[in-house]
Every structure is written in structure tokens, then in C-alpha cells.
Amino acid sequence: MSRLIVVSNRVADVTKAVQSGGLATAVADALQEARGLWFGWDGTVVSNDTHIGISINQQGNVRTATVPLSQRDYDEYYVGFSNNVLWPSFHYRLDLNLIDSKSIDGYRRVNQRFARALAALLEPDDLIWIHDYHFIPLAAELRALGVKHRIGFFLHIPFPPPDIFLAVPEQQWLARAMFSYDLVGFQTASDTQNFIRYVLEQAGGEQVSDTELKAFGGTIKVRPFPIGIDVEAFYDMAHTPTADEQIQRLQRRSMASNHIIGVDRLDYSKGLPDRLRAFRRLLDLYPENRKAVTLMQISPPTREDVQAYADIRQELEGLSGAINGEYSDFDWTPVRYIHRAVPRATLAALFRGSQVGLVTPLRDGMNLVAKEYIAAQDADDPGVLVLSRFAGAAEELTDAILVNPYDNDEVAQALQRSLTMKKEERIERHNALFDKVQKHDVKNWRETFLNELKSSRRANESG
Ligand code: ADQ
């Protein structure tokens, strides 16, 4: 069996990966099975003149190889190009795209450095799986060093339509770099179509078959692989005696009989200010919810070095303060805003104890919270998922109440409909949603991607 090499910006503690969720959980099991190597940034920043070495550690079956970033690399590659150019642009936020040429140089430089460090660790049969927007050019840099291995790429965030991608500096260089992979995976069919359209319309490419795309002198495979979660593990976490106790406490301590829950990193792509405005509209339009419903929003800090993230924090704190000031009573607080990470088991219990899961990103690659909310419910008395049309998850989860997250009135009406929905309809919707979440779980995602990668081989005109 080939050894699996996973490359991602952050390398998690493999022993704790299941608790941390997202990408960490998704790849940790695959690495365990394949006695793999996980390569990436160790999360530290060192001064520029320090020698940057690689640290190798063994954690069970898995080896981790990590490197620190210099202050300059952190500023240019991580904050600059990855999070001030690619993240906003790929989330359709060109207004937040801060283009500067130094950051592009830093992005290129770090990808070259990571390629050199990784190339030195490779064994002949290794299968390489590179993750996310930090490393789009990594395969091209590896190929330049003579690496001939099979390399797959999965983009966790959306891929925007051509008109938006055209506003990203060096977009042609990025698109060309994608043709150094054997397989390129996106979250949804519409992301895949966006990429294909760019290649056909702007790069003179040709679609060879449903999944094969030819351009820049090479032919690669491209297709959607919607990411999922470990459904059983999440369901079990929501159904322990401790979870039962936490749910009872939530109900006892709160005057409200109904709970709406939102859980998202504090990121401008998640639509949090509009979510709070929609909740305020619910209280305005349907006053029977006053003293009867709370919104619990759990949002841990993230990327605080990026100005746009400091701005969103301020906006959200202002809004929740204003709503509470306007509507609270001595025995009821409408918005409970928690600005920190919460243990996953507590999240699972809170999802199960909440009548509505409110997931309203303005744009999201997939959104695992939507799937976690479904997984946590009791099948005989489930809650209702209100989901943004602009989350990748909406492509599969069509039995949720789908909403336009920009339209506060529409979201308020969807909340009212969910809070008053009859049990039979809730059960019917939940059954359909649960089936989909279970069918496309994380194991299925990982195995489908890796099987496809094993059978993909890039055709390259230059040999
Ligand atoms: P994210 O933008 O981080 O992921 P999401 O898919 O929702 O978004 O995953 C977040 C994870 O973090 C979930 O497992 C959630 O439970 C957890 N989490 C969030 N808030 C938390 C808190 N306060 N405490 C503890 N845990 C918390 C990116 C893309 C997504 C894509 C994923 C996976 O932006 O679109 O779905 O990668 O590909």
C-alpha cells in the first residue's frame, strides 16, 4: 500500500484530531490507516534571521513533519496573500481583497520552500494529497524539482465564477499551477463548473470528458467531492448522559422554551451581522417570540491579525449589545453570544437541545456545522435546519429551509416557520437530511478522493 502524504497549512495533534473537527478529523483516520506523513506549518512564527528547520515527530502510526514560518513569510504568505487576497476573493468579497505585490512574492516563496522540504522526505510510491488555498502552486513547485508522484488537490473553500477569479492577481499563474496536479477536487458541482468555465473561456482550454480538462499543455481530472462528517461519532457525542444533563441545564436555566443555535468561526463569510439582524426582525415581526426564544451564537476568534476580522468582531458585539439592550427583560436575554471555542461534546449537546440550527453564511465551501446539527438530532423529535443557499451544503441538503442570508425578513420568516413547524414535517425533513449526511460522510469523501487519485494520471504534452 502506498504511503499517504497529507499537506495542509496547519498540522493538528493527531491524537486530538477527532476533538478538533473539520479537516483534522477528516484526514487523521486516513493517515492512521496508511501509516502516513502529515506535512505543514507548526503554527509558530520565528524571527527572520533564525534558521528554519523541519521537525519530525511520530504520533502513533502517523509521522508529522512541520516547519515554522518567519515573520516575513507569515505577513506575506499567510496574512497577506492567503487571507487578504485568496480567502476574500474566493468568497466573492472583492471589496476586501487587499492586493500587494510583496504578498504574492511571499506566497510563491513559501510554496517553493515547502516544496523543497517535502521533496526531500518523499519515498517512491507515496501518494500526495494537498489541501486548500494556501498551497495552490505546491504541485507545480514539486514538479519543477522533478517530483513525478501522483498529486491530488482539494479546495475546501468555494471557487468563484470567472468574472471574480479574473480580479485575483496572477490568476492565470494559479490556474496553470492547478494543471500540475493529477486530480483537482472541489466541494460542489457549481465550484467545479466555475473552474471549468474559467479554463474554457479565459485560458483556451478544452473539456475532454465530464471529468477531464485540457489546458496549459496538460490534461487533468476535476470533479466535486462534497466533504462530510463522522455522523455516528457526532450522534453518539450528542447522546451521552453528560449531554442529557447539559440539555436539561440549558432548558432549566433559561426562561425561553425555544433555542436557536449558531456556531461559526468569527469570519465575515459566515454572515453573522445579518443573522443577528434577522433575529431582531423575528422579534419585531412575531412578538410572541419575545421571552420565548433565545439565539445562542458561539463564535471563537480566528485570524485576529487580519483587520477585517477585528472589524467583524466589533460589529457583532455592537449588534448583540443593541438587541439585548432593546429587548432584554430581568429574566430573559434574547442573544447569548459566546466568543470562544467550546468542547465538541458540548456543541453536540447544544445542537441537540436547540429547536433550530441557524447556518447562514454569505458564502461557504461546504459548512460542516449544518451537517453536525443534523447528525445530533433525535430522530423522533428533531429540530429544523435553516440553511443559506450560498453554503456548499445547500447543494445536497435541499430538505433544509433554504434562505437568502442577505434578506433579513426572509430569514425571520424562515425562523418563524421552523419554530412553529409540526412534528410530522420536522421528522420527514430530518429523515431526508440525515440520509444524505450519512451517505456522504467523511469516510466516503476521503475514500472516493483517494481512489480517484490512485487511478488518475495527468497527461502532459511536454512529457
Ligand atoms: P470552516 O470555515 O472552519 O471550514 P466549517 O465547515 O463550519 O467551517 O467547520 C468548522 C468546524 O469547527 C466545525 O466542525 C465546527 O463544529 C467547529 N467549530 C466552530 N465553532 C466552534 C466553537 N466555538 N467551538 C468548537 N468548535 C467549533 C472550512 C471551509 C468550510 C468547509 C470546511 C471543511 O470554510 O466551507 O466545510 O473547511 O472543508
Side-chain angles (χ1 to χ4, degrees):
M1 189 163 87
S2 313
R3 185 172 68 149
L4 175 65
I5 311 269
V6 167
V7 183
S8 64
N9 178 54
R10 288 298 302 274
V11 172
D13 179 338
V14 179
T15 53
K16 295 195 187 124
V18 175
Q19 286 105 59
S20 47
L23 173 73
T25 325
V27 299
D29 284 351
L31 284 164
Q32 292 278 8
E33 275 164 32
R35 311 181 75 79
L37 175 78
W38 195 348
F39 179 77
W41 176 34
D42 65 9
T44 66
V45 179
V46 296
S47 63
N48 290 332
D49 45 11
T50 315
H51 171 71
I52 296 181
I54 188 162
S55 314
I56 311 263
N57 280 294
Q58 189 75 35
Q59 299 182 27
N61 268 346
V62 182
R63 272 169 98 196
T64 58
T66 53
V67 284
L69 289 178
S70 71
Q71 187 63 50
R72 186 161 73 114
D73 289 346
Y74 177 80
D75 292 343
E76 295 173 11
Y77 147 83
Y78 181 73
V79 175
F81 199 66
S82 298
N83 287 316
N84 268 327
V85 176
L86 294 179
W87 177 275
S89 312
F90 280 36
H91 286 88
Y92 299 48
R93 291 297 300 270
L94 292 178
D95 56 318
L96 297 174
N97 173 354
L98 302 176
I99 299 175
D100 96 87
S101 53
K102 267 207 323 237
S103 78
I104 303 171
D105 295 344
Y107 182 75
R108 231 189 279 261
R109 186 177 64 243
V110 170
N111 271 274
Q112 281 166 350
R113 188 158 67 76
F114 274 48
R116 280 196 300 273
L118 179 58
L121 300 170
L122 292 179
E123 292 168 8
D125 273 344
D126 287 346
L127 198 62
I128 307 172
W129 189 5
I130 294 172
H131 291 261
D132 233 358
Y133 59 103
H134 314 86
F135 293 126
I136 295 171
L138 192 60
E141 298 299 349
L142 286 165
R143 301 286 184 220
L145 298 171
V147 171
K148 298 269 192 291
H149 297 61
R150 281 198 171 87
I151 314 180
F153 178 74
F154 183 76
L155 185 68
H156 288 257
I157 64 175
F159 192 88
D163 274 356
I164 292 185
F165 188 54
L166 279 166
V168 175
E170 301 281 349
Q171 33 61 43
Q172 211 185 66
W173 168 69
L174 291 168
R176 175 189 294 274
M178 309 254 287
F179 280 78
S180 291
Y181 291 96
D182 298 286
L183 172 66
V184 172
F186 298 95
Q187 296 274 25
T188 65
S190 83
D191 296 320
T192 312
Q193 274 313 313
N194 286 341
F195 178 66
I196 294 176
R197 272 185 56 206
Y198 173 83
V199 171
L200 302 188
E201 292 167 17
Q202 304 293 334
E206 188 188 324
Q207 187 152 10
V208 182
S209 72
D210 268 5
T211 57
E212 279 169 308
L213 201 55
K214 184 172 173 182
F216 304 109
T219 304
I220 57 166
K221 256 195 180 166
V222 283
R223 45 159 288 204
F225 297 89
I227 195 169
I229 61 163
D230 185 338
V231 179
E232 262 171 47
F234 209 83
Y235 177 90
D236 289 348
M237 226 165 18
H239 289 82
T240 60
T242 317
D244 292 343
E245 206 179 290
Q246 281 170 323
I247 294 168
Q248 278 164 17
R249 236 175 37 225
L250 171 74
Q251 284 156 356
R252 245 194 346 260
R253 298 236 175 124
S254 150
M255 251 284 287
S257 45
N258 281 317
H259 300 275
I260 302 172
I261 190 156
V263 174
D264 321 69
R265 285 184 303 99
L266 188 48
D267 192 299
Y268 51 78
S269 65
K270 304 290 183 185
L272 299 171
D274 275 306
R275 188 178 305 173
L276 288 192
R277 284 186 211 108
F279 180 67
R280 174 157 61 189
R281 285 301 283 157
L282 174 79
L283 302 178
D284 283 345
L285 293 173
Y286 308 98
E288 65 271 30
N289 291 306
R290 296 180 198 167
K291 289 191 149 199
V293 177
T294 61
L295 168 64
M296 185 182 291
Q297 179 61 48
I298 306 181
S299 286
T302 172
R303 300 176 199 162
E304 288 186 305
D305 291 354
V306 179
Q307 183 56 40
Y309 289 75
D311 296 345
I312 189 88
R313 177 178 175 173
Q314 223 176 15
E315 190 178 359
L316 206 63
E317 281 170 2
L319 262 170
S320 62
I323 298 173
N324 284 341
E326 201 174 327
Y327 290 99
S328 292
D329 213 329
F330 67 95
D331 55 359
W332 174 63
T333 310
V335 178
R336 303 169 83 185
Y337 170 51
I338 300 173
H339 183 51
R340 65 186 140 74
V342 166
R344 285 179 70 66
T346 308
L347 279 188
L350 293 173
F351 284 151
R352 183 179 153 214
S354 300
Q355 283 65 33
V356 181
L358 187 52
V359 182
T360 53
L362 303 178
R363 194 60 63 176
D364 217 330
M366 176 55 62
N367 195 295
L368 296 178
V369 169
K371 297 190 171 185
E372 290 168 351
Y373 180 77
I374 298 294
Q377 299 307 303
D378 288 325
D380 56 359
D381 189 13
V384 181
L385 176 66
V386 175
L387 177 63
S388 161
R389 292 181 188 286
F390 307 129
E395 214 172 79
E396 293 170 90
L397 304 183
T398 46
D399 292 282
I401 306 285
L402 296 182
V403 291
N404 170 3
Y406 294 93
D407 185 338
N408 301 161
D409 280 14
E410 186 189 326
V411 175
Q413 284 152 15
L415 285 173
Q416 178 67 4
R417 185 176 163 200
S418 306
L419 288 164
T420 53
M421 191 181 284
K422 295 258 180 328
K423 202 179 190 181
E424 299 78 63
E425 184 179 350
R426 282 190 279 124
I427 292 178
E428 205 174 301
R429 285 176 181 275
H430 175 72
N431 283 344
L433 290 167
F434 193 85
D435 274 358
K436 288 196 181 142
V437 173
Q438 199 170 37
K439 202 155 135 218
H440 285 149
D441 70 352
V442 68
K443 190 157 185 262
N444 174 273
W445 170 74
R446 194 170 71 212
E447 286 175 356
T448 319
F449 187 94
L450 289 173
N451 286 337
E452 187 88 48
L453 178 58
K454 281 177 201 154
S455 64
S456 309
R457 197 34 121 184
R458 179 179 61 119
N460 193 340
E461 280 160 19
S462 56

